[in-house]
Amino acid sequence: MTRIGVFVCWCGANIARTVDVELVAQKASTLPGVVYSTSYLYMCSDPGQALIKDAIRDYNLDRVVVASCSPAMHEPTFRKAVEEGGLNPYFMEMANIREQNSWVHDDRVAATEKAFELIAATVERVKRAQPLEPLGFSVEKKALVIGGGIAGIQAALDIAEAGFKVYLVEKTPSIGGRMAQFDKTFPTLDCAMCILSPKMVDCYRHPNITILSYSEIEEVKGFVGNFEVTIRKKARSVDEKLCTGCGLCIEKCPSKAKSEFDEGVGERKAIYIPFPQAVPLVPVIDREACLWFSKGRCGLCQRVCPTKAIDYSQQDTFIKERFGTIIVATGADVFDPVVYEEYGYGRYPDVITSAQLERIIDPSGPTKGEILRPSDGKHPQSVVFIQCVGSRDEQKGYPYCSRVCCMYTAKHAFLLREHLPNVKLYIFYIDIRAFGKGYEEFVRRVQDELGANYIRGRVGRIYPEKGKLIVQGADTLLGQQVRIEADLVVLATALVPQKDVEELARKLSISTDQYGWLMEAHPKLRPAETMTKGIFIAGTCQFPKDISDSVAQASAAASKAIAILQQEWLYSEPVVARVNKNKCVGCFACKEVCPYSAIEEEALVEQTSGLEKRVAKVNEGLCQGCGNCASACRSQAIDLLGFTSEELIAQLEGLAKVERE
Amino acid sequence: MKENKEWIPKILALLCRWCAYAGADLAGTSRIPYPPSPRIIRFPCSARMDPYFVIKGFREGFDGVLVAGCHPGDCHYSVGNYYARRRFMLLKELLLFAGIEPERIQMRWISAAEGKKFAQVVNEMTEDIRRVGPLKLKEEALEIILKKEEVWQPLPGSE
């Protein structure tokens, strides 16, 4: 006969206000198998836990039911308390009488009755509980960082400095990411490349870091401590080991294409290095633009290469590696403003995005830092900025604020004034959001000292007239229409999730929100973690943020990753499937439905007949405990520990029984 | 039991721990009220919800059974909810055949962020079941599926 203790929590007034906890505790003492029952102000507090431990000793309890908050909240707390009291931690079950009872019902009688029913059912369930031991597994002491922007670089460096090996996988030919495209950073106007480039080189030189550029994640298997990742190393057509980065091939290449790095403002060759400070400094052949690949002739680069590094026959290769932990830092994309037909982006060459302006301002950009407008290559005399293009607009864009546009627009105004002292600057805005350290001061400076004309309102239409762009909008503060003759219009486009991030999220089994931003485990308290153990997120793949916030989150993710890498063993909940070999008929319906390929076949010789039969066997390292196999099994030979049919049915019957009485 | 607004049907709610159960918790954290009709059992995944649990629920006298898991594509175990959906579509056909009203067996997708939706689902289902009244099983129905001998028996040890 089991000896069960029931502990009902008041949770201050959170439960006690709606549930007569003392009555419930008293009624619970009459349930079959219950030998002790009490209530207490805060069960999770030290004295509350001591109460449980003492009762286990004093009343010789062998099972415990705690009726309090959701198990999502305090299951680990009470499992530990019960363990310290001398019982197997899985001899404790919780009844959720707060989130799913006292907080949602206001009828005291009904809520009290329901609380009792939930407890009675949990008592029935805990009687069937089996003792379980946590599963231990070793940790592969190596981290994978996906995305080589500033967040990925920072995370990789932090982990490498802590003494662990890191693979840094980058989709494009070079690490550096968005930050490499910037001329200066707000609000300090540091030269972006001057602070980024040393970090890129550090990554390259660090003995613990392996950079895999021009590579993508193909497949992810396994779990925390033991991820098994297949990385596709795309054919670069250039041997990274032989290439010295001399650039002779690029010089001779006759074929050109639009430069992705320059946001389509400038051109690059078919064989190219995206930007001069690229890491690794190895060119890549764009096979669509290359004459050798498209027309089968040319081959100039191969002929001029002094180290014979050009290899047209190169194929994608696959690298399989094991990692203990993964950090996702894949960054964000820029909103395509073509849907705003009234702005004429794509129709008028002098309507450009902020990312394009960034490249035009950059001294290493296509105009060598001269502010020249795309249509005729002249200096603009009048520039209009339009903020919130795609942000804070549910109709054509996204409802969220992209957080960086107010600041980069102010920065652009500042830099334009520096380059062109007489340029007229107009900035259409909805609200100015300058919330960071030194941000408000920076915007003030642009407004007051640099004479940028901030106009609160939206632009309704842009159209060309006599070589100018006419910007028509509303000034909502003055309540009047404005008409501005502009030479250049810059759209402060929103940040949007990367197009392929959903696919990556699926491979990693992590979730995205309604827009496609990667979901954090908790928006306030676990901002760098995902719901999947061992996978962390950093930078703008989670949500738009500036460089300082990206770096901070990257270091946070790295410290979480290091905490895992430092462990010799990790322990997981022993919620895994188990096979009753005697009952198993070897149909392997379980094997077919298992998403983790955790079911193996095992040969068994029956003692009586001497015949061999094949039965299912669970690989506990792979089993994640979904229980699909248990539902699929036709002979009830497979069950899920912690959620056995016996436990679940006892709970179900318990819920029903009380109702009938 | 009276068949009026006051009658609170008993609904067995089978919820997966990652989405629907967390959604029910969120309804609580956000203090969104709903009638005290659901009796929740936490499952690791909707894929663990053997159709037998639903049948068992009706046998034990619940007026309705709610099955809820993650939205398609969001399953914590990637595909569990697809299996659950297939199983329940079949099961529902069978239960309809046995004379159980469609209001009584419902399957919904509720994410961990949808506390409001959980409360709404409970409200709707409670109303639905109030309309059809307490569960009355036809004898033939019981004969046909529900009283077919227990398909499940406790396992003596696992090895």
Side-chain angles (χ1 to χ4, degrees):
Chain A
M1 192 59 196
T2 46
R3 298 180 60 82
I4 301 169
V6 176
F7 300 85
V8 186
C9 183
W10 294 50
C11 195
N14 280 305
I15 295 172
R17 188 183 294 123
T18 353
V19 174
D20 187 341
V21 280
E22 283 171 321
L23 178 71
V24 169
Q26 188 210 321
K27 276 177 81 179
S29 66
T30 64
L31 290 166
V34 175
V35 294
Y36 178 74
S37 167
T38 189
S39 71
Y40 185 70
L41 195 56
Y42 288 107
M43 272 303 166
C44 59
S45 66
D46 267 354
Q49 294 185 48
L51 190 73
I52 298 174
K53 288 179 230 173
D54 292 346
I56 292 173
R57 189 191 57 226
D58 297 343
Y59 296 89
N60 198 19
L61 303 178
D62 60 7
R63 298 283 199 280
V64 168
V65 169
V66 181
S68 58
C69 49
S70 166
M73 186 86 189
H74 273 311
E75 196 174 59
T77 313
F78 292 122
R79 286 224 193 286
K80 192 152 180 289
V82 166
E83 188 173 20
E84 285 166 5
L87 294 184
N88 184 287
Y90 293 86
F91 281 164
M92 189 289 303
E93 286 289 344
M94 288 179 77
N96 184 343
I97 60 166
R98 192 179 74 172
E99 279 84 346
Q100 296 176 1
N101 188 32
S102 74
W103 275 353
V104 287
H105 307 317
D106 38 23
D107 180 340
R108 194 171 159 89
V109 176
T112 302
E113 182 58 25
K114 185 176 166 186
F116 174 64
E117 288 182 22
L118 294 176
I119 291 169
T122 312
V123 164
E124 286 307 308
R125 176 177 179 150
V126 82
K127 282 181 192 169
R128 276 81 174 179
Q130 292 172 11
L132 304 176
E133 296 300 329
L135 297 168
F137 44 88
S138 63
V139 178
E140 184 71 37
K141 297 195 173 279
K142 196 156 73 209
L144 169 66
V145 177
I146 307 172
I150 182 61
I153 289 172
Q154 184 63 47
L157 283 172
D158 284 357
I159 297 171
E161 283 299 303
F164 298 103
K165 297 277 179 206
V166 185
Y167 273 56
L168 180 57
V169 174
E170 165 60 37
K171 183 165 72 174
T172 69
S174 167
I175 61 168
R178 288 276 165 206
M179 191 177 168
Q181 293 178 293
F182 302 159
D183 173 33
K184 299 227 161 83
T185 58
F186 62 75
T188 48
L189 300 175
D190 283 305
C191 151
M193 195 47 93
C194 313
I195 52 177
L196 173 67
S197 168
K199 279 185 182 287
M200 292 164 64
V201 175
D202 283 352
C203 267
Y204 189 67
R205 291 225 186 102
H206 206 292
N208 281 344
I209 299 180
T210 307
I211 296 176
L212 291 175
S213 64
Y214 210 48
S215 301
E216 289 184 46
I217 303 302
E218 189 73 12
E219 191 185 21
V220 181
K221 289 204 272 190
F223 49 92
V224 57
N226 295 277
F227 291 107
E228 201 179 303
V229 183
T230 312
I231 301 159
R232 174 195 288 266
K233 202 161 170 16
K234 294 180 281 188
R236 200 177 191 113
S237 316
V238 178
D239 190 319
E240 280 181 56
K241 288 200 184 75
L242 295 176
C243 175
T244 60
C246 71
L248 203 58
C249 50
I250 301 171
E251 214 173 278
K252 298 289 178 198
C253 176
S255 180
K256 283 182 178 172
K258 282 204 164 157
S259 161
E260 297 86 357
F261 186 79
D262 286 337
E263 295 290 333
V265 183
E267 289 184 322
R268 57 156 173 81
K269 296 291 182 66
I271 183 164
Y272 68 103
I273 290 173
F275 54 101
Q277 303 87 343
V279 169
L281 196 65
V282 177
V284 54
I285 294 181
D286 168 2
R287 293 191 170 182
E288 272 171 40
C290 173
L291 293 174
W292 178 269
F293 284 101
S294 58
K295 300 207 168 76
R297 55 192 156 81
C298 182
L300 216 54
C301 49
Q302 194 172 45
R303 257 175 285 151
V304 298
C305 180
T307 59
K308 305 253 175 296
I310 310 286
D311 178 5
Y312 297 131
S313 65
Q314 220 178 55
Q315 300 283 324
D316 290 5
T317 50
F318 295 92
I319 299 165
K320 225 179 206 173
E321 280 289 339
R322 290 165 64 83
F323 300 98
T325 170
I326 299 174
I327 292 177
V328 188
T330 47
D333 207 342
V334 177
F335 180 77
D336 183 354
V338 127
V339 293
Y340 286 86
E341 284 176 27
E342 63 269 33
Y343 297 160
Y345 178 80
R347 282 203 310 279
Y348 315 134
D350 292 331
V351 178
I352 62 172
T353 66
S354 296
Q356 289 173 323
L357 180 65
E358 196 76 54
R359 294 311 303 147
I360 292 174
I361 298 175
D362 195 323
S364 67
T367 57
K368 303 274 177 287
E370 281 264 345
I371 313 297
L372 306 173
R373 64 179 200 165
S375 64
D376 54 8
K378 285 189 183 151
H379 294 300
Q381 302 301 314
S382 163
V383 179
V384 169
F385 293 90
I386 303 173
Q387 294 203 166
C388 296
V389 177
S391 309
R392 305 182 69 194
D393 181 357
E394 285 183 49
Q395 318 267 266
K396 291 186 173 172
Y398 295 87
Y400 57 78
C401 164
S402 289
R403 298 182 86 230
V404 288
C405 326
C406 285
M407 290 311 297
Y408 71 58
T409 299
K411 176 189 77 177
H412 287 157
F414 191 103
L415 296 175
L416 284 191
R417 171 67 78 232
E418 241 180 22
H419 284 75
L420 307 164
N422 296 319
V423 71
K424 291 196 189 96
L425 301 166
Y426 303 92
I427 300 172
F428 283 90
Y429 69 100
I430 303 180
D431 298 292
I432 295 297
R433 297 188 165 173
F435 45 81
K437 195 174 182 179
Y439 289 12
E440 179 66 22
E441 295 89 321
F442 183 78
V443 173
R444 286 274 166 200
R445 208 169 140 208
V446 172
Q447 286 175 331
D448 300 342
E449 290 173 30
L450 291 135
N453 192 353
Y454 272 75
I455 303 165
R456 189 174 194 277
R458 278 234 179 239
V459 169
R461 191 176 163 221
I462 297 172
Y463 59 93
E465 195 179 281
K466 295 178 197 144
K468 296 261 185 193
L469 288 168
I470 309 300
V471 179
Q472 274 189 340
D475 185 329
T476 54
L477 291 182
L478 293 176
Q480 63 188 35
Q481 295 293 312
V482 283
R483 183 178 183 279
I484 297 165
E485 288 186 6
D487 297 315
L488 186 66
V489 176
V490 184
L491 307 179
T493 41
L495 294 192
V496 296
Q498 296 271 17
K499 283 175 200 75
D500 50 2
V501 73
E502 304 256 359
E503 195 191 329
L504 180 69
R506 209 163 21 249
K507 285 174 187 165
L508 291 162
S509 302
I510 57 177
S511 34
T512 55
D513 69 7
Q514 52 185 317
Y515 311 111
W517 301 112
L518 296 179
M519 282 279 276
E520 62 282 346
H522 190 283
K524 298 245 179 286
L525 302 178
R526 296 168 71 195
E529 292 161 72
T530 65
M531 287 303 284
T532 305
K533 249 182 158 181
I535 301 185
F536 306 100
I537 46 177
T540 53
C541 59
Q542 180 246 348
F543 195 67
K545 53 175 71 74
D546 57 23
I547 292 168
S548 25
D549 283 358
S550 293
V551 169
Q553 197 185 15
S555 287
S559 83
K560 293 277 172 194
I562 293 165
I564 288 177
L565 295 172
Q566 276 180 334
Q567 318 269 342
E568 290 304 323
W569 291 88
L570 285 177
Y571 294 93
S572 76
E573 253 198 314
V575 176
V576 289
R578 180 157 296 173
V579 179
N580 181 333
K581 289 173 190 168
N582 297 325
K583 286 186 123 190
C584 179
V585 296
C587 71
F588 296 108
C590 49
K591 194 177 176 181
E592 270 175 43
V593 301
C594 179
Y596 302 100
S597 314
I599 309 274
E600 294 163 0
E601 295 188 22
E602 183 187 18
L604 205 70
V605 180
E606 272 191 339
Q607 282 178 340
T608 43
S609 62
L611 293 171
E612 192 186 283
K613 74 166 186 175
R614 299 191 74 75
V615 294
K617 188 183 171 204
V618 178
N619 181 331
E620 291 184 349
L622 293 175
C623 177
Q624 299 289 295
C626 70
N628 202 3
C629 51
S631 300
C633 181
R634 294 156 193 173
S635 45
Q636 288 101 50
I638 195 160
D639 214 336
L640 187 65
L641 299 182
F643 290 90
T644 61
S645 297
E646 191 183 356
E647 288 169 292
L648 292 168
I649 286 172
Q651 188 177 5
L652 194 161
E653 285 176 341
L655 284 170
K657 202 186 288 166
V658 196
E659 185 200 357
R660 275 205 300 266
E661 276 159 9
Chain B
M1 280 183 204
K2 294 169 293 179
E3 258 188 75
N4 58 25
K5 267 280 174 192
E6 259 52 62
W7 176 62
I8 311 268
K10 286 279 157 71
I11 300 172
L12 176 65
L14 312 180
L15 309 184
C16 89
R17 70 194 282 188
W18 303 101
C19 294
Y21 191 92
D25 276 352
L26 183 60
T29 318
S30 328
R31 312 293 200 281
I32 306 170
Y34 54 80
S37 47
R39 295 292 178 272
I40 295 169
I41 300 185
R42 188 170 69 133
F43 282 75
C45 176
S46 50
R48 174 68 186 96
M49 300 172 196
D50 191 317
Y52 177 68
F53 297 138
V54 178
I55 295 176
K56 181 78 181 165
F58 286 119
R59 278 184 71 146
E60 294 293 328
F62 283 96
D63 300 298
V65 180
L66 170 68
V67 169
C70 309
H71 283 265
D74 289 350
C75 178
H76 183 79
Y77 306 98
S78 30
V79 291
N81 48 0
Y82 295 129
Y83 284 98
R85 180 165 63 183
R86 284 191 192 183
R87 286 180 188 136
F88 284 95
M89 276 171 69
L90 267 174
L91 178 71
K92 191 164 179 174
E93 289 293 311
L94 189 67
L95 293 178
L96 295 183
F97 176 72
I100 289 179
E101 296 87 343
E103 286 85 351
R104 297 191 194 278
I105 167 162
Q106 301 196 18
M107 183 174 202
R108 300 294 178 89
W109 311 123
I110 299 167
S111 85
E114 291 176 329
K116 215 171 148 187
K117 183 173 176 185
F118 178 79
Q120 192 190 329
V121 164
V122 170
N123 275 312
E124 285 169 8
M125 200 166 163
T126 305
E127 279 308 310
D128 286 350
I129 296 178
R130 269 185 185 145
R131 258 199 320 277
V132 293
L135 178 76
K136 286 189 207 78
L137 290 175
K138 295 193 184 100
E139 277 308 309
E140 317 88 84
L142 289 170
E143 285 302 319
I144 292 168
I145 30 173
L146 305 182
K147 279 230 169 135
K148 279 271 181 204
E149 209 13 63
E150 288 273 0
V151 292
W152 177 86
Q153 299 131 23
L155 307 180
S158 45
E159 284 300 304

